[in-house]
Amino acid sequence: MASPIAEFFGRLSKAHHDRLERITGSIRFEVVSDGATEGWLLEISSGNVSARQAEGKTAHCVIHCRRELLERAIRGEQNLTAAWLSGRINVDGRLELFRLFERMLPGPPTARDPRDLVSGQEAGHR
Amino acid sequence: MSAVRILDGNTFVVTDRCGDFETSPTFPTGLFSWDTRFLSRWMLRINDSPLYALSVDDAEYFQTRFFLTPANATHGFDSKLSIIRQQTINDCFEEQLTIVSHADEPLDLHIRIDAASDFADISTIGQLVERKGTYQVRIQEGCLHLVYQRDDFVRETVIHCAVEHPDCPVGPRTELDEAGLTITGCIPARGTWIANLNASMLSHNGRTVRESLRGLRNPRPRLAEDLHRWMTQAPKLECEHPTLHETYRRSLIDLAALRYTPMVSGGLSVPAAGLPWFMTIFGRDSILTSIQALPFASELAAATLYALSVPQGCRLDDFRDEEPGKILHEFRYGEATAFEEHPQSPYYGAADTTPLYLILMDEYERWTGDGDLVRRFEREARAALDWIGTYANLMGDNYIWYQRRNTRNGLENQCWKDSWDGISYADGRLPGFPRATCELQGYAYDARIRGARLAREFWNDPALADRLEREAADLKERFNRDFWVEEGEYYALALDGDGGKVDALSSNIGHLLWSGIVDTSRAERVARHLVGPRLFSGWGVRTLAEGEGRYNPLGYHIGTVWPFDNSFIAWGLRRYGFEEEAARIAEGIIEAAGYFGGRLPEAFSGYDRKLTRYPVDYPTACSPQAWSAGTPLLLLRTLLGLEPVGEHLISDAALPGSINRLALLDIPGRWGRIDVLAVSRL
């Protein structure tokens, strides 16, 4: 079975991202777990993302973090910006690529639509 | 305490008149960078004596020179020594301490500098916060290291000292200890010592905070050259008014000082909101300041649009009050944000930033002709328009409403009057939630009108333009019905959650004139209120009218006068043809600036001008503050009646009596550069 990280990167590769249409660049992830490092390379071009496992490739931006943290971020349970500010993630190179990647992650699973809050509805406001 | 502040972006120092600082429980004194205090104690003593300040030169915003002499119990001061203390911010904190002896004989000197840091997060100063990290002090390789660490979050100050002694072969001895450093020795007759002290501010990996967050080393322009370039590129003002000239100059320097390069802005600099509390990007402050400064420095607007586009909201997040399409309120870099105790990573709890973002984009293009930027951020602008019609439309009536989801430490009021009591009924009661303040509807109206122009001219989407114009017309009609308070003849401050009018008379009605949502038939009544005795203090328009339940001339959003508020009100009055009223407000604010050395504070008291004769300082106001520094610029635009029309700049000046003649030379824009001259005709 594919890891949650592999699945997430796979999903990113299949979709078109309007937000990335003017962006060209690559992000290398160094994901650390049990002392071993797993490398991923994300290449962004014209709104498309291609992801593959790769060690030691040069990239415009290198993100170094623990596997458990990245998996939580992929589930929307860990805000990546806060993790970066607190030093749990190291970013080298073009920061805007990290910030754009961060924007592709889901929000907290328990988050509410403000319109539902006002109308008191559980869901299905729209 | 009279504070001396020097700054460079979000790195700044607040000292006393001698260049010293020690921890104050309530006011942020010390050395700060990226929202963390890196030095909380920095005290100079010579032969155990405190120092006496002869004068202070703070002509440059990034450098201050203190001329000192040792204080002496009997004579007031000791004239045998002169001490020049030059403090500079340039990524790190540098102090050059020059000791000059005027004695004919050698003197034994014991120079002591106490240094310590509490590494406080600026957003928690004044609160009792139990620190969760550990402190460490060590001396290593000739440097004093002060370290704070909480898990992977590391902040470190590294202090180094080197002494030059040009007059004699044997110099003084420098010794570091855990509480600072001591320089001892015998200074020769008429000799000089120069101690170069340096405090670097580091994050984990021993890199500077900027380098470690940015990931890159960014070469920065030399500050003195950069300020010179900034000043020479700005239009030249010519006038005979006693304070306007100095106010204009001060504004330009303060805006230069408050420029700050956030992590994502393509290396461009945006206006940070204000010293000392708000040295970061605030969506509202950065946008409104950029609008004020458009005729003078349009680069601020381009940077602000860039810096706010990348972190535009893209998902639902209750803690951060984030929704797709929403423009952020505030970004912070300190410990409380990093550990998610505070939501500013970034926080989105503002209902006005999103329409204001669209207004800035349109106004920017009208001045500069930079259609590429409008095309570049089309997706973001459309998402912002969508937010106005969806997530902001809480009640399904196409008004912008707000109600925080973060009830722990989110903002109750998500408009510019964001203190807890900023929005009230005339009798002083506070309304329930959600709330729809009136100026939000004005901004939403204006954003649709402007969005329609952008859609038609740049996005090739006439259908969207038509829809936005229909929605705007409908909004205007309903707004004029639902918000109008018949008995008082003004617009209500807000609607409450039941659709009832929050009926206080407030300065917000002036913003409605700026937005154009006011029915022409009602504009005169609104204008009359704005310059009437309940709202107009003689210096400016109060945030809340005298006589309202919560009115307090020293209340932050309930009675004080805010210069920025007045600049938009004056502009709004001109939009509806009230030249005299606009000029009266502009004149009052410019005269007030004269009492503050040309530097308008964030707010001053709402006392009647006839009562106090001078504008009374609001106790903890930020200064310099970006949108206060921007105020004289927008007032100049208003007095000169500057409007870009097509490829041309139109001027229709209406000067107050105290300004006979006004010339603004080299106004930059899509027309190149143009001079405007005006003589009084009011």
Side-chain angles (χ1 to χ4, degrees):
Chain A
M1 201 178 82
S3 75
I5 292 172
E7 257 178 47
F8 179 74
F9 285 152
R11 277 205 305 281
L12 285 187
S13 303
K14 287 196 188 88
H16 180 80
H17 307 270
D18 290 350
R19 188 177 277 276
L20 303 179
E21 259 169 15
R22 290 168 186 276
I23 308 296
T24 304
S26 54
I27 307 175
R28 181 155 59 85
F29 288 82
E30 292 175 349
V31 187
V32 182
S33 172
D34 297 328
T37 302
E38 180 181 317
W40 282 89
L41 188 71
L42 242 63
E43 286 174 307
I44 300 167
S45 174
S46 315
N48 296 312
V49 174
S50 83
R52 62 192 159 94
Q53 263 190 299
E55 308 291 338
K57 295 281 179 195
T58 56
H60 298 109
C61 175
V62 179
I63 297 173
H64 185 92
C65 66
R66 289 192 295 274
R67 162 177 283 278
E68 181 263 341
L69 186 142
L70 186 59
E71 287 182 352
R72 281 166 49 77
I74 285 167
R75 291 196 298 268
E77 294 165 6
Q78 169 64 57
N79 182 282
L80 220 53
T81 303
W84 163 63
L85 292 175
S86 66
R88 282 172 289 166
I89 288 188
N90 259 312
V91 182
D92 270 297
R94 275 170 57 191
L95 186 77
E96 74 268 26
L97 292 172
F98 163 70
R99 301 281 292 136
L100 284 163
F101 173 74
E102 190 273 331
R103 299 276 85 191
M104 294 194 279
L105 293 165
T110 56
R112 293 163 295 174
D113 185 311
R115 291 167 289 183
D116 297 339
L117 186 72
V118 166
S119 63
Q121 294 172 11
E122 286 299 308
H125 182 88
R126 290 156 305 290
Chain B
M1 192 194 84
S2 82
V4 176
R5 295 107 181 237
I6 54 175
L7 73 155
D8 168 30
N10 67 359
T11 302
F12 61 93
V13 191
V14 181
T15 73
D16 67 13
R17 296 280 299 171
C18 291
D20 284 341
F21 51 82
E22 58 184 332
T23 315
S24 148
T26 52
F27 194 79
T29 51
L31 169 66
F32 292 85
S33 191
W34 299 99
D35 300 322
T36 297
R37 177 151 59 192
F38 279 84
L39 279 176
S40 52
R41 183 175 172 79
W42 188 255
M43 304 284 281
L44 172 66
R45 295 287 178 271
I46 294 185
N47 291 350
D48 297 322
S49 164
L51 295 153
Y52 177 86
L54 299 171
S55 72
V56 178
D57 168 13
D58 57 356
E60 310 268 34
Y61 63 78
F62 49 86
Q63 187 172 77
T64 303
R65 300 214 294 164
F66 304 85
F67 299 91
L68 312 171
T69 186
N72 177 300
T74 49
H75 301 101
F77 59 87
D78 178 350
S79 58
K80 281 185 188 153
L81 284 180
S82 289
I83 295 119
I84 303 163
R85 205 173 179 188
Q86 176 177 291
Q87 296 179 341
T88 310
I89 290 286
N90 195 358
D91 255 1
C92 61
F93 171 65
E94 295 163 358
E95 173 157 338
Q96 186 177 70
L97 186 61
T98 305
I99 314 276
V100 181
S101 168
H102 307 301
D104 293 324
E105 67 281 354
L107 295 174
D108 285 327
L109 288 185
H110 175 89
I111 301 167
R112 174 69 194 172
I113 291 177
D114 284 344
S117 181
D118 63 356
F119 293 98
D121 182 325
I122 190 165
S123 61
T124 61
I125 286 175
Q127 302 166 18
L128 272 178
V129 179
E130 194 197 338
R131 301 305 296 278
K132 299 205 171 83
T134 54
Y135 294 91
Q136 191 202 359
V137 179
R138 65 172 195 275
I139 294 159
Q140 191 183 325
E141 292 169 12
C143 294
L144 172 60
H145 295 250
L146 311 172
V147 186
Y148 176 77
Q149 176 156 19
R150 174 174 170 190
D151 301 336
D152 297 315
F153 181 86
V154 181
R155 292 293 181 265
E156 178 173 359
T157 310
V158 182
I159 298 164
H160 178 255
C161 176
V163 184
E164 298 169 39
H165 39 90
D167 307 315
C168 56
V170 183
R173 196 172 64 249
T174 304
E175 276 177 301
L176 298 169
D177 59 71
E178 294 196 346
L181 61 98
T182 309
I183 303 167
T184 47
C186 182
I187 189 167
R190 303 196 174 274
T192 301
W193 288 349
I194 301 167
N196 292 298
L197 296 124
N198 180 304
S200 309
M201 295 164 272
L202 307 181
S203 178
H204 51 279
N205 303 339
R207 296 195 288 189
T208 67
V209 183
R210 172 170 285 276
E211 281 168 16
S212 89
L213 289 180
R214 222 179 221 305
L216 285 174
R217 177 173 262 286
N218 232 29
R220 307 176 61 252
R222 293 171 62 87
L223 292 176
E225 289 163 19
D226 181 55
L227 178 60
H228 178 74
R229 186 193 61 83
W230 171 266
M231 295 303 283
T232 51
Q233 282 183 2
K236 305 287 164 293
L237 179 74
E238 286 181 3
C239 70
E240 285 153 22
H241 190 273
T243 60
L244 184 53
H245 208 272
E246 174 55 23
T247 301
Y248 178 65
R249 194 183 137 71
R250 186 78 249 168
S251 284
L252 289 177
I253 292 174
D254 284 348
L255 283 175
L258 289 167
R259 280 174 306 159
Y260 134 75
T261 312
M263 293 302 177
V264 180
S265 64
L268 304 168
S269 297
V270 306
L275 196 71
W277 296 107
F278 306 125
M279 287 311 294
T280 187
I281 189 163
F282 274 77
R284 176 185 306 125
D285 298 59
S286 299
I287 291 171
L288 291 176
T289 305
S290 297
I291 291 175
Q292 291 171 319
L294 260 177
F296 303 84
S298 62
E299 65 206 70
L300 293 178
T304 297
L305 287 164
Y306 202 114
L308 293 176
S309 294
V310 175
Q312 183 178 36
C314 63
R315 58 197 168 215
L316 293 171
D317 184 331
D318 291 0
F319 181 54
R320 295 171 182 79
D321 280 323
E322 177 180 357
E323 296 119 39
K326 203 173 183 183
I327 298 297
L328 69 83
H329 173 58
E330 179 184 4
F331 203 128
R332 291 283 188 181
Y333 299 89
E335 179 184 352
T337 303
F339 287 88
E340 301 190 79
E341 291 152 359
H342 288 184
Q344 285 88 5
S345 50
Y347 181 58
Y348 292 85
D352 52 359
T353 48
T354 310
L356 288 172
Y357 166 85
L358 292 158
I359 292 166
L360 174 63
M361 186 179 289
D362 175 68
E363 192 69 13
Y364 168 77
E365 194 285 328
R366 292 179 65 228
W367 277 89
T368 62
D370 182 2
D372 287 348
L373 183 138
V374 176
R375 281 182 282 268
R376 177 185 180 122
F377 292 119
E378 175 182 345
R379 196 194 62 80
E380 286 79 4
R382 285 174 180 270
L385 285 163
D386 286 345
W387 179 86
I388 294 173
T390 55
Y391 294 103
N393 184 12
L394 296 187
M395 306 292 273
D397 53 10
N398 274 322
Y399 291 135
I400 291 185
W401 295 84
Y402 62 81
Q403 177 171 4
R404 64 178 179 169
R405 281 166 288 153
N406 174 353
T407 51
R408 177 153 65 95
N409 49 16
L411 288 168
E412 285 190 22
N413 280 318
Q414 306 198 343
C415 50
W416 87 260
K417 294 178 179 175
D418 60 2
S419 45
W420 65 275
D421 60 352
I423 306 299
S424 62
Y425 296 97
D427 63 10
R429 283 176 303 124
L430 299 178
F433 293 95
R435 294 173 181 171
T437 57
C438 63
E439 84 286 2
L440 294 175
Q441 320 316 322
Y443 302 158
Y445 170 80
D446 198 16
R448 285 189 170 99
I449 296 286
R450 292 169 183 268
R453 185 184 84 89
L454 300 179
R456 203 168 273 132
E457 293 186 18
F458 298 97
W459 307 332
N460 193 28
D461 192 347
L464 173 64
D466 291 346
R467 176 169 70 80
L468 290 170
E469 281 166 353
R470 276 196 311 276
E471 287 172 357
D474 174 63
L475 175 64
K476 182 170 182 172
E477 190 188 324
R478 288 186 306 109
F479 176 82
N480 277 277
R481 186 186 67 218
D482 296 344
F483 278 74
W484 187 248
V485 179
E486 278 298 341
E487 50 275 36
E489 300 199 307
Y490 57 84
Y491 293 94
L493 174 52
L495 295 185
D496 62 26
D498 300 321
K501 292 174 188 127
V502 181
D503 56 352
L505 174 61
S506 68
S507 65
N508 301 45
I509 60 175
H511 288 235
L512 300 174
L513 293 174
W514 170 46
S515 300
I517 199 173
V518 173
D519 260 350
T520 314
S521 63
R522 284 174 171 166
E524 194 182 339
R525 277 165 283 180
V526 172
R528 223 185 296 144
H529 277 296
L530 288 167
V531 294
R534 292 187 62 204
L535 277 174
F536 192 63
S537 76
W539 302 109
V541 179
R542 301 179 177 102
T543 41
L544 189 64
E546 207 172 27
E548 298 300 39
R550 285 196 179 259
Y551 171 74
N552 173 355
L554 289 171
Y556 197 50
H557 291 130
I558 51 171
T560 53
V561 173
W562 286 59
F564 102 90
D565 192 23
N566 278 269
S567 69
F568 284 91
I569 293 168
W571 191 16
L573 284 163
R574 279 238 47 186
R575 175 173 181 157
Y576 279 83
F578 299 99
E579 298 175 351
E580 231 179 291
E581 290 78 359
R584 197 183 313 168
I585 288 172
E587 187 175 42
I589 295 293
I590 289 165
E591 283 170 359
Y595 291 84
F596 299 106
R599 174 184 280 170
L600 285 162
E602 177 183 35
F604 54 86
S605 81
Y607 292 121
D608 196 281
R609 182 171 180 168
K610 288 200 255 343
L611 181 74
T612 60
R613 305 284 178 83
Y614 66 93
V616 177
D617 236 333
Y618 176 79
T620 62
C622 273
S623 184
Q625 200 192 37
W627 63 17
S628 293
T631 289
L633 306 187
L634 179 51
L635 292 177
L636 282 171
R637 173 182 177 174
T638 300
L639 291 175
L640 291 169
L642 300 179
E643 276 306 320
V645 177
E647 296 301 315
H648 304 284
L649 180 65
I650 305 297
S651 170
D652 177 21
L655 306 182
S658 58
I659 303 174
N660 294 324
R661 186 181 160 278
L662 193 61
L664 196 60
L665 310 177
D666 282 341
I667 304 170
R670 60 198 304 159
W671 41 81
R673 285 194 178 252
I674 217 170
D675 298 345
V676 169
L677 293 97
V679 288
S680 180
R681 66 173 170 84
L682 276 177

